[in-house]
Amino acid sequence: MAELRPADVVAADLCIGCGGCAGAGAMGWDRVGQLKPERPDAIQGEAFARTCPFSPDAVDENAIADARFPAAPVADTRIGRFEAAYVGHVAEGEFRAGGSSGGMVSWVAAELLRRGLVEGVAHVAPADPDADGRFFGYRLSRSVAEVQAGARSRYYPVELSSVLAEIRAVPGRYAIVGVPCFIKAVHLARAAEPVLAERITHTLGLFCGHMKSARLVDSFAWQLEVPIEDVAAVEYRQKNADRPANWYTAHLTLRDGSARWQDWWHLADGDWGAGYFQNPACDYCDDVVAETADIAFGDAWVEPYSSDGRGTNVVIVRDPALAAIVREAIEGERLTLEPVDADFIANTQAAGLRHRREGLSWRLRHYPPRLPLRKRVAPGGGDLPLRRKWVYRVRRWIARASHRLAWMARATGWHAIYLVPARLALKNYQRLAWPKPK
Ligand SMILES: Cc1cc2nc3c(=O)[nH]c(=O)nc-3n(C[C@H](O)[C@H](O)[C@H](O)COP(=O)(O)OP(=O)(O)OC[C@H]3O[C@@H](n4cnc5c(N)ncnc54)[C@H](O)[C@@H]3O)c2cc1C
């Protein structure tokens, strides 16, 4: 599709909002709280068709990983090519306490800076909502302290346009942290632009269930009964070493310095798997574990780790040089990591993989994407149990309805328009989805 334009991807509900196609600052909010290119005709034609991660003409994750990790000893259909895989956490410093899980992302980013392997790390840190209406954004950190200050997971729309512009403008070597489709976008941009290929030397991937819209923060504010204008800072999962890691707490800091918080399971939309505010493009993604990243990180969502409130990572190392750095740090007792196999990692992401494999197969057949995407999963799912098909159907409905109802709730100021049906839908979804299949 040589004439593919960003507007076509947006119209097909397949724009993830990564900002790879936009000039710096040329991304803005759509009406449901997702970032979209403001001038969707800025790049078009062949260059865009090759670099958009949801373009039918972009190479897939297998092709990128085969080229980047040709000698990887293991190639697994669920978690990709890799050198080594681990479960554990950072032993040294405050990385674990400061991170969302075991602190490994911030540690690897810091180690790359400490060893002089990169001069900057592009990652996501709190932003000033007064400055550009965003609670979080990508920035380039150039010191360990800055990297640590940006730790923790932000389930919020972010985009790469300004950090890519800075990398183009300022010579140096850079690492980029991102969810799987963003890392894919970075590799596609590297393939198209020699300057990015030379300067972006390391990619750090986050496992990903799906991306949320900015409306999740509005919903927190509605449920905690504070005006969104009074919110100064957001934490999606406040850490508490005394409680299981998977008991998320949403936490808002207000402008007057006070705070409000609530456990996710008391929230109308507090079940990650139900898909509230999910970007529709995520329904057509088949990469859970950042298969194209040099190293990828997730949460160890299996016992005994999920009950350990201090947080535990699973880590997949795909690049041999990073594998050596990690091995050396384990030997030096700076990292507490145990080797694990592909089954162990896949098990920690069982729900995400089900949604992106059998669920994707079913969606490709029943709700084909509006552009002819090439996926690594074939349309099918006809033989799934009826209940599973309903789980996928209801998740899709929740994702779409949550965008529309929250838009109406925001426009009218009548929050019950969203909250009442959201609560009802969650009850019904949980009846259908639990217990989870083995
Ligand atoms: C949208 C999203 C969905 C996720 N889904 C899953 C999942 O299904 N399963 C799973 O196991 N893990 C998932 N994760 C990853 C998980 O939340 C942790 O980020 C991961 O385990 C790393 O924890 P850590 O303690 O090592 O990282 P930390 O030391 O806390 O560092 C996190 C790093 O990631 C950066 N960062 C935070 N948010 C973003 C973002 N949106 N985009 C780019 N960089 C960011 C921060 O700036 C920081 O550098 C998801 C993360 C995100 C952002």
Side-chain angles (χ1 to χ4, degrees):
M1 300 184 75
E3 291 312 313
L4 187 75
R5 300 164 309 148
D8 301 324
V9 179
V10 172
D13 258 353
L14 289 170
C15 175
I16 196 67
C18 69
C21 64
M27 296 288 288
W29 293 116
D30 69 7
R31 65 181 202 161
V32 298
Q34 293 173 145
L35 291 170
K36 292 284 167 332
E38 283 188 324
R39 291 191 308 276
D41 290 317
I43 306 186
Q44 54 181 298
E46 221 195 315
F48 175 69
R50 273 187 288 122
T51 53
C52 169
F54 283 89
S55 158
D57 290 342
V59 296
D60 71 14
E61 287 79 354
N62 284 353
I64 297 170
D66 290 352
R68 195 151 173 92
F69 318 116
V74 190
D76 181 90
T77 53
R78 299 157 299 174
I79 68 162
R81 293 178 156 266
F82 65 96
E83 291 281 328
Y86 299 98
V87 63
H89 56 87
V90 182
E92 69 177 353
E94 293 303 307
F95 289 98
R96 188 185 195 189
S100 275
S101 7
M104 279 296 299
V105 177
S106 301
W107 184 88
V108 170
E111 189 68 7
L112 291 172
L113 285 170
R114 280 192 292 236
R115 287 176 180 248
L117 293 170
V118 299
E119 282 82 40
V121 176
H123 67 146
V124 170
D128 175 4
D130 287 339
D132 58 4
R134 300 185 194 178
F135 282 104
F136 300 98
Y138 262 95
R139 73 156 185 224
L140 274 171
S141 286
R142 294 179 180 274
S143 70
V144 171
E146 278 182 285
V147 162
Q148 287 188 289
R152 291 193 292 281
S153 303
R154 327 299 190 180
Y155 307 122
Y156 189 83
V158 290
E159 48 91 6
L160 291 161
S161 67
S162 41
V163 288
L164 288 179
E166 200 174 333
I167 291 171
R168 286 183 188 104
V170 183
R173 287 159 305 165
Y174 298 91
I176 293 196
V177 182
V179 291
C181 54
F182 278 47
I183 299 294
K184 179 181 181 186
V186 166
H187 286 302
L188 296 173
R190 290 176 74 257
E193 277 185 69
V195 72
L196 293 181
E198 186 191 309
R199 293 181 186 172
I200 301 172
T201 52
H202 295 80
T203 48
L204 279 54
L206 303 174
F207 293 9
C208 185
H210 58 258
M211 300 278 284
K212 300 279 189 194
S213 82
R215 289 295 99 82
L216 183 57
V217 180
D218 293 77
S219 171
F220 289 164
W222 298 338
Q223 294 178 73
L224 294 172
E225 299 182 349
V226 291
I228 186 76
E229 302 74 37
D230 290 357
V231 177
V234 183
E235 278 302 337
Y236 288 88
R237 39 190 285 201
Q238 185 133 36
K239 211 165 202 175
N240 183 340
D242 300 327
R243 298 189 350 158
N246 53 4
W247 291 12
Y248 285 15
T249 304
H251 186 277
L252 303 180
T253 306
L254 307 187
R255 288 175 194 280
D256 63 6
S258 66
R260 303 275 195 289
W261 61 92
Q262 183 56 279
D263 292 327
W264 273 52
W265 69 76
H266 292 305
L267 297 175
D269 33 25
D271 181 330
W272 183 274
Y276 289 89
F277 301 117
Q278 179 196 293
N279 185 309
C282 301
D283 262 350
Y284 297 98
C285 163
D286 56 18
D287 182 0
V288 175
V289 294
E291 293 177 43
T292 69
D294 298 334
I295 183 164
F297 311 85
D299 285 284
W301 291 142
V302 284
E303 292 300 346
Y305 308 105
S306 9
S307 289
D308 186 342
R310 293 168 299 172
T312 309
N313 284 116
V314 278
V315 183
I316 307 173
V317 198
R318 312 186 193 281
D319 171 70
L322 279 173
I325 291 174
V326 168
R327 259 197 318 272
E328 196 186 309
I330 296 170
E331 280 157 20
E333 298 184 359
R334 299 169 66 204
L335 299 177
T336 304
L337 295 177
E338 295 289 329
V340 293
D341 61 12
D343 287 345
F344 182 95
I345 303 272
N347 211 16
T348 67
Q349 306 301 315
L353 283 164
R354 253 195 316 274
H355 191 74
R356 305 289 179 76
R357 294 295 191 272
E358 62 166 43
L360 173 57
S361 173
W362 179 83
R363 285 188 294 282
L364 288 172
R365 179 164 163 186
H366 290 276
Y367 301 100
R370 283 184 260 163
L371 289 174
L373 299 184
R374 278 180 297 168
K375 301 304 328 173
R376 296 174 296 165
V377 171
D383 53 350
L384 284 176
L386 195 60
R387 198 176 166 124
R388 282 316 294 165
K389 292 181 187 168
W390 270 103
V391 168
Y392 296 130
R393 197 168 276 131
V394 170
R395 263 184 207 158
R396 189 182 159 86
W397 180 85
I398 286 179
R400 279 156 175 73
S402 59
H403 291 303
R404 270 182 241 129
L405 294 175
W407 172 75
M408 280 163 68
R410 206 166 181 253
T412 58
W414 195 28
H415 305 150
I417 291 179
Y418 165 74
L419 293 174
V420 171
R423 248 179 238 293
L424 259 174
L426 184 60
K427 250 192 208 137
N428 287 317
Y429 167 80
Q430 287 179 331
R431 251 184 236 140
L432 197 61
W434 294 84
K436 295 199 175 199
K438 295 262 181 289

